[in-house]
Amino acid sequence: MPSFVKSVTFDCHDPLTLAAFWAAALGSDVDEDSTSQRAWVEPAGWGGPSLWFQQVPEPKVAKNRLHFDLRAMGPLADERDRLVALGARTVHQDVALVVMRDPEGNEFCLET
């Protein structure tokens, strides 16, 4: 029987803040047992992996080797603006794709 992805883990400085960003971005909640050292977000609905955030002492120093590609369910500009209001930053934008960073600098893409 094959394996499945149980969770995606982020090394980060502030697990609760980063978990709160991703929970809001993805329409979920931060698990009530989360702490300042570790936090997790269950997927909205079913079928996706959980997001796990663990505190590490070192800062992020290079481009991610893996990133999320999010699909906007409405107008791209509206979703970009919502994510910016949650703490993301826009790095680059064209007609159908926005390259962004979360509050700790992890890259992700938003597309139509």
Side-chain angles (χ1 to χ4, degrees), residues 6-75:
K6 176 186 173 213
S7 61
V8 176
T9 303
F10 287 76
D11 289 349
C12 58
H13 174 72
D14 186 345
L16 287 174
T17 297
L18 201 53
F21 169 81
W22 282 105
L26 300 174
S28 189
D29 297 303
V30 177
D31 188 272
E32 63 189 26
D33 293 327
S34 296
T35 69
S36 60
Q37 285 79 41
R38 65 182 197 279
W40 58 95
V41 174
E42 295 291 330
W46 58 273
S50 297
L51 301 181
W52 175 261
F53 303 87
Q54 62 184 6
Q55 187 177 50
V56 297
E58 65 275 358
K60 179 182 180 304
V61 295
K63 183 177 184 276
N64 294 7
R65 304 265 325 222
L66 171 110
H67 70 266
F68 292 132
D69 290 334
L70 304 182
R71 168 129 323 148
M73 300 307 289

